[in-house]
Amino acid sequence: MTVPQPPAPLPGARLLFSLDPAVSQLNHGAFGTVPLPVQRAQQRLRDEMEANPHRFFSRGLVERLGHARRHLAGFLGADPEGSALVGNTTTGVAVVLQSLRLRPGDEVLITDHCYGAVALSVHRECQRTGASSRVLPVPLSATDEEIVESFRAGLRPGRTRLLVVDQLTSATARLFPVAAIVGVAREQGVPVLVDAAHVPGMLPVTVESIGADFWVGNLHKWGFAPRGTALLAVRPPWRERIEPLTVSWEQESGFPARVEWQATLDYTGWLAAPVGVYTLRNLGVERVREHNAALAAYGQRVVGDALGVAPTHLPDPGGPAVAMRLIPLPPGMATTVETAKALRDRIADRLATELAVMAWGGRGWLRLCGQVYNSAEEYERLAVRLPPLLAQR
């Protein structure tokens, strides 16, 4: 089988970023990268804040935050009045968990694809309240129909107080049929929290149509927002039950202001976040999505071939629209979180390449991303240099 051709670069896109040209950044999904126009917009806001902090914080900031939220919610198809800006997806998850007021005998159900920090948050809240957590295994090769049925069988009505499910998983780049899963859970009376950390900007989404009780996604990954920008959307029956992690002066204002207002945070990232959406739209949202997904698929094939992985063994659990791809590592390599991090750092130090190394399902995986600042040559260079490095183990 021939290797697919890489997509043509988007003219001028690389110049929008202040990345070190000596390093290949193939892990956009981890921390995102803030375009220069967004950096400058945030710096202007910081200058305004430092010129007169009292005026910045005490006159109209709540309204400005509401304006930014409405812009971002509109981009994601969420109800602006039923959404709140939060620092990241894990913060949104923590807000929901502590608002549920779990009790002994309650259960939170997650999957084995769950993001590590989210799983730790669930575990901590269950320990604190006397509830329990349970992990539902979902095979990487499962079809959408099989996934939905596994959730149908795995829920325990009357005991399962919350189902936490990824829309697009971090560890495995698996796209879950969340709308269908939400439908099954609603039949059984189980609320659903959708972790959509990687969705905003990468995939088209209409949050309202998913119907989840809680949905939270980062805009600082694929939405070009400053880091620390996420949106938590909450269905109407739950809104007045949502409590912030820290009580501040907007507590009596209700949701979403009581969650957004956290005293003297640096709100400039949230205020500048709409410029990230504007930058994405200027490039062409669909054009960026198609480019990134095609580039990630090309990188997966080139690097996979270099590692001797047959094309039929290169997983594609997210489908053609996902800009993150997995490559299985040789058996026995990077099978734990610790050894995966060590390999990631060795690749970064010796090959000047930042990528994700994941330990999942008893084996190690490389996760490659595609973004408009990447080039086909970066994956080709990695394909040449990575096999000798792995052979040194």
Side-chain angles (χ1 to χ4, degrees):
M1 297 176 66
T2 59
V3 177
Q5 291 298 306
L10 300 189
R14 177 63 180 81
L15 300 176
L16 289 172
F17 302 89
S18 53
L19 293 166
D20 182 351
V23 179
S24 292
Q25 302 284 349
L26 305 182
N27 190 17
H28 184 88
F31 303 105
T33 305
V34 184
L36 285 166
V38 184
Q39 292 183 41
R40 290 165 181 158
Q42 185 177 14
Q43 187 57 54
R44 288 193 295 271
L45 287 160
R46 283 181 172 147
D47 292 342
E48 176 192 346
M49 176 174 63
E50 297 306 331
N52 191 336
H54 193 278
R55 175 179 288 273
F56 182 86
F57 282 98
S58 64
R59 298 192 189 180
L61 181 53
V62 171
E63 290 73 21
R64 293 173 74 177
L65 292 172
H67 177 76
R69 178 193 351 112
R70 286 188 287 274
H71 188 102
L72 299 174
F75 174 66
L76 298 173
D79 177 3
E81 304 313 313
S83 304
L85 293 168
V86 292
N88 52 38
T89 294
T90 48
T91 300
V93 168
V95 167
V96 171
L97 285 171
Q98 61 93 35
S99 297
L100 286 177
R101 300 182 182 178
L102 297 171
R103 297 174 296 181
D106 291 340
E107 172 189 86
V108 179
L109 183 63
I110 63 176
T111 77
D112 56 351
H113 298 253
C114 185
Y115 184 61
V118 170
L120 289 171
S121 186
V122 168
H123 178 68
R124 186 191 72 168
E125 189 64 16
C126 288
Q127 276 193 322
R128 190 179 70 82
T129 60
S132 63
S133 61
R134 184 162 56 93
V135 177
L136 181 70
V138 179
L140 190 61
S141 59
T143 65
D144 283 357
E145 292 76 15
E146 290 169 340
I147 291 173
V148 172
E149 288 309 308
S150 69
F151 280 102
R152 191 188 304 276
L155 293 169
R156 299 173 178 174
R159 181 172 180 184
T160 307
R161 283 287 311 283
L162 182 69
L163 168 62
V164 181
V165 60
D166 296 77
Q167 188 165 353
L168 176 62
T169 67
S170 177
T172 58
R174 169 79 220 200
L175 188 64
F176 276 22
V178 288
I181 293 168
V182 168
V184 166
R186 182 150 297 142
E187 291 171 2
Q188 301 192 31
V190 177
V192 181
L193 166 58
V194 173
D195 175 348
H198 288 274
V199 171
M202 186 205 290
L203 299 172
V205 63
T206 304
V207 172
E208 286 278 275
S209 68
I210 295 172
D213 300 270
F214 316 100
W215 182 100
V216 59
N218 291 325
L219 285 119
H220 56 245
K221 291 181 181 286
W222 303 89
F224 291 158
R227 291 175 196 86
T229 305
L231 192 81
L232 169 64
V234 179
R235 287 188 67 235
W238 293 97
R239 291 173 188 171
E240 288 310 308
R241 297 172 60 179
I242 295 295
E243 293 288 347
L245 299 179
T246 303
V247 172
S248 197
W249 280 107
E250 291 297 321
Q251 177 67 16
E252 300 304 318
S253 299
F255 185 85
R258 65 163 55 142
V259 171
E260 288 178 341
W261 186 256
Q262 296 292 294
T264 50
L265 286 184
D266 183 348
Y267 297 100
T268 59
W270 295 356
L271 297 177
V275 182
V277 174
Y278 177 79
T279 303
L280 183 60
R281 284 177 166 149
N282 268 355
L283 288 169
V285 177
E286 290 306 318
R287 185 168 69 149
V288 168
R289 288 172 175 161
E290 291 172 5
H291 170 276
N292 292 349
L295 190 57
Y298 175 77
Q300 179 196 41
R301 184 64 183 278
V302 168
V303 177
D305 282 353
L307 296 181
V309 182
T312 53
H313 291 163
L314 290 173
D316 184 18
V322 171
M324 302 191 300
R325 294 293 181 112
L326 293 182
I327 301 167
L329 286 165
M333 180 176 288
T335 57
T336 67
V337 172
E338 293 73 21
T339 55
K341 288 180 178 178
L343 178 57
R344 176 201 65 191
D345 293 346
R346 193 152 62 98
I347 292 170
D349 293 341
R350 298 192 184 184
L351 305 186
T353 300
E354 300 289 352
L355 49 75
V357 182
M358 305 295 195
W360 185 86
R363 74 173 306 162
W365 306 82
L366 297 181
R367 191 193 72 187
L368 298 178
C369 298
Q371 187 50 270
V372 295
Y373 53 73
N374 292 129
S375 67
E377 291 75 20
E378 291 177 296
Y379 305 93
E380 294 161 1
R381 186 165 56 246
L382 177 64
V384 171
R385 301 176 66 195
L386 184 59
L389 182 142
L390 296 183
Q392 293 172 8
R393 66 172 177 160

